[in-house]
Amino acid sequence: MTVYCGIDWAESHHDVALVDEDGQLLAKRRIGDDAAGYRLLLDLLAEYGDSPEEPVPVAIETSHGLLVAALRTGTRQVFAINPLAAARYRDRHGVSRKKSDPGDALVLAHILRTDMAMHRPLPADSDHARAITVLARAQQDAVWSRQQLVNQVRSLLREYYPAALEAFQHKQAGLARPDARTVLAAAPTPARAARLSLSQLRSALKRSGRQRGIDSEAERLREVFRAPAAHHPPAVEDAFGQQLLALLKQLDAACVAADELAEAVEASFRDHPDADIYLSFPGLGVQLAARLLAEIGDDRHRFADARALKAYAGSAPITRASGKKSFVGRRFVKNNRLISAGFLWAFSSLKASPGADAHYRRRREAGDWHAGAQRNLLNRFLGQLHHCLQSQQLFDEHRAFTSPLTSSLTAAA
C-alpha cells in the first residue's frame, strides 16, 4: 500500500494526515514541536509502512526547522509546498472555503497523491553544503543589515552634518569604513569636529587601524571640518549627535558580524570539493561563489538540465501565449538570493573575461538594456556552470565564449 503524508506546520504544534493511494484517510494526529512530537511522528509513519527502503513521502509548507531536519533522515523525500499553491489546491476539495489545520494537512497529503511529479523535493545536499548555505545566507543578511544602517547614518548626516559626508562618502566603503566610524564617534557634531586638532585626528585614524597617509588624511579632514557651514542650534545639534552615536554602535556591531561571518564562509567554502570549479569562473570570488553554492547546492540530481537551473535562478525568460498573443518577459517567481548574486557575478565578470564583455556588448547592440544584457550573460554562465559541475571540469574561457566567426567556420567544416 502506498501512503502519503501531509503536515500542517505551526510554531507550537503540527497536524499530520496520512492517506493511501485511493485518497482514504488512514490516520490523523496532532504532535508537539519538540523531540517527543518528532518521535511520535516517526513512529506513526513506521506504523503505516515507513522503512529505510521505502520511506513515506511528506509534504509540508516549510523547508527549514528541526521538524524538517528530523524528516530528512535517510532517503525520505520531503516536499516543501508553497503556501499559495496549497491554498489553490484547497479549493479543489470544497467550495465553502472552510479552513482548518487538520484539513490543510489532508490537502497536503492529497497534493502528493495526485501531483507529486509536479513538485520538487528538497535537494539531497551534503551536510557540508547545507552548512555553507547557513553561513552564506547569514553573511548576506549581515551585509544587507550593514548597508541599511549606513543608509540611516547617511540620511541623518544630511540633516545636520554634511561635512562628514564630504569627508568620507567618496571613499571606498564610505561610512562603513573603520576610520569614518572612529572619527564620527570622536566628533559626532560639526561643532566638536571643528575643534579637533591634528594630533586628535591622527590618534583617531590610528585607532581605526589606518597605517598609511595618516598625516595627509588628518590635514584633509581638518580642512573639511573647519570649512564654513550652516548649523542647527547647539541643543538640537547635540541631540542629533546622540542619535548618531547610537547608530554608530549598531553599525560597528553589524560590521564586525559581517566580517566574522565572511571569514567563516571562506574557511568552510574552500574545503568543499566544488570550490575550485566555482572559483575558476571569471568574476567569482570566495564570498560570491559561496553564495552561489549555497543556493544551488551539491545535489547532482537536483536539476534535470541546465534549463531547470536557469529557471530556478530566474535568468531564463518566460513565455506567456494565448491565441495570437505571445509575450516573452522575465521571471518574477525565482530564487531571489541566487539572482542577486548572479547579477553581481555577471557585472564583475565584464572586466575579468573578454568573452563575457563581448557577449554583453553584443546584447547591448542588439537592443537590450543593461539589466537585460546582464541577465542574458548570467543565463549563459549558469549553463556553463551546470556543465562544469556535472562533468567536474574547470571553466575554460576559449571553449565557453567562441567568437561568431569561429563558430561559423567550425559549422561549415
Side-chain angles (χ1 to χ4, degrees):
M1 179 178 61
T2 304
V3 179
Y4 305 92
C5 176
I7 301 177
D8 182 74
W9 181 91
E11 288 189 0
S12 58
H13 63 269
H14 315 291
D15 286 277
V16 182
L18 297 178
V19 299
D20 61 14
E21 55 191 357
D22 295 325
Q24 296 297 319
L25 178 63
L26 300 176
K28 61 179 182 179
R29 193 73 56 85
R30 172 166 287 188
I31 63 172
D33 187 39
D34 51 22
Y38 304 156
R39 172 52 56 189
L40 182 62
L41 171 60
L42 295 177
D43 291 342
L44 180 64
L45 293 176
E47 181 181 348
Y48 285 91
D50 181 75
S51 64
E53 295 76 18
E54 296 184 359
V56 173
V58 176
I60 189 171
E61 291 181 331
T62 184
S63 60
H64 56 272
L66 291 174
L67 174 60
V68 176
L71 290 171
R72 294 184 69 179
T73 56
T75 59
R76 178 181 291 108
Q77 287 186 314
V78 179
F79 295 80
I81 307 298
N82 189 295
L84 184 61
R88 298 295 184 267
Y89 276 99
R90 191 185 304 123
D91 295 337
R92 296 172 55 181
H93 299 273
V95 296
S96 63
R97 298 201 173 187
K98 64 179 181 179
K99 183 185 183 304
S100 65
D101 292 343
D104 287 348
L106 184 59
V107 168
L108 290 170
H110 282 304
I111 290 176
L112 292 189
R113 183 180 66 85
T114 58
D115 294 330
M116 186 167 69
M118 301 299 296
H119 296 274
R120 180 183 297 167
L122 293 179
D125 292 329
S126 65
D127 293 343
H128 192 174
R130 293 167 63 186
I132 293 175
T133 300
V134 173
L135 292 173
R137 288 181 176 179
Q139 199 272 338
Q140 191 175 29
D141 291 339
V143 170
W144 288 341
S145 299
R146 181 181 64 188
Q147 187 58 46
Q148 288 180 349
L149 289 168
V150 168
N151 293 341
Q152 293 181 40
V153 172
R154 178 182 178 277
S155 179
L156 178 63
L157 293 177
R158 286 180 59 84
E159 292 285 331
Y160 82 107
Y161 200 170
L165 292 179
E166 182 182 352
F168 302 109
Q169 189 73 17
H170 67 283
K171 291 180 173 292
Q172 185 178 7
L175 297 172
R177 295 169 58 89
D179 53 350
R181 291 182 278 121
T182 304
V183 171
L184 289 178
T189 63
R192 292 177 61 178
R195 294 195 297 267
L196 289 177
S197 63
L198 282 176
S199 60
Q200 290 174 324
L201 287 171
R202 293 193 195 98
S203 299
L205 293 174
K206 290 179 181 179
R207 287 198 306 272
S208 68
R210 188 180 181 116
Q211 298 180 349
R212 298 181 180 179
I214 293 179
D215 293 338
S216 60
E217 180 67 8
E219 293 177 359
R220 186 188 71 84
L221 291 176
R222 186 177 66 169
E223 293 178 1
V224 172
F225 290 149
R226 293 188 177 183
H231 291 269
H232 284 283
V236 177
E237 190 172 272
D238 290 340
F240 276 122
Q242 291 296 324
Q243 183 181 0
L244 177 62
L245 289 175
L247 283 176
L248 288 176
K249 291 180 180 179
Q250 300 177 53
L251 181 57
D252 288 338
C255 292
V256 172
D259 293 340
E260 290 180 350
L261 285 170
E263 294 177 359
V265 168
E266 181 171 359
S268 183
F269 173 75
R270 289 190 180 278
D271 292 336
H272 194 276
D274 293 340
D276 292 338
I277 296 177
Y278 279 92
L279 294 178
S280 68
F281 279 80
L284 280 186
V286 173
Q287 299 299 324
L288 200 53
R291 293 182 187 179
L292 292 174
L293 174 60
E295 304 307 323
I296 296 174
D298 58 3
D299 181 6
R300 296 291 182 259
H301 304 288
R302 181 178 187 180
F303 303 102
D305 50 27
R307 293 177 58 188
L309 174 58
K310 295 174 182 179
Y312 178 70
S315 62
I318 189 171
T319 302
R320 297 178 178 89
S322 177
K324 296 182 179 180
K325 296 181 179 179
S326 180
F327 171 76
V328 179
R330 63 188 179 92
R331 292 176 180 264
F332 290 92
V333 179
K334 57 188 180 298
N335 185 317
N336 292 323
R337 290 181 182 272
L338 181 54
I339 193 67
S340 175
F343 271 116
L344 294 175
W345 177 19
F347 183 75
S348 60
S349 69
L350 297 180
K351 289 186 177 181
S353 170
D357 182 66
H359 181 87
Y360 169 82
R361 294 184 183 277
R362 283 197 300 270
R363 298 301 306 181
R364 292 284 286 167
E365 293 171 359
D368 286 356
W369 287 11
H370 170 71
Q374 276 197 311
R375 190 180 298 109
N376 188 278
L377 176 59
L378 172 61
N379 201 51
R380 184 162 182 172
F381 267 139
L382 288 175
Q384 296 164 355
L385 176 60
H386 182 270
H387 170 75
C388 290
L389 290 174
Q390 293 293 332
S391 60
Q392 291 294 292
Q393 296 179 12
L394 299 181
F395 175 81
D396 187 343
E397 172 80 17
H398 299 289
R399 296 179 62 185
F401 294 100
T402 306
S403 65
L405 179 59
T406 304
S407 298
S408 61
L409 292 176
T410 302

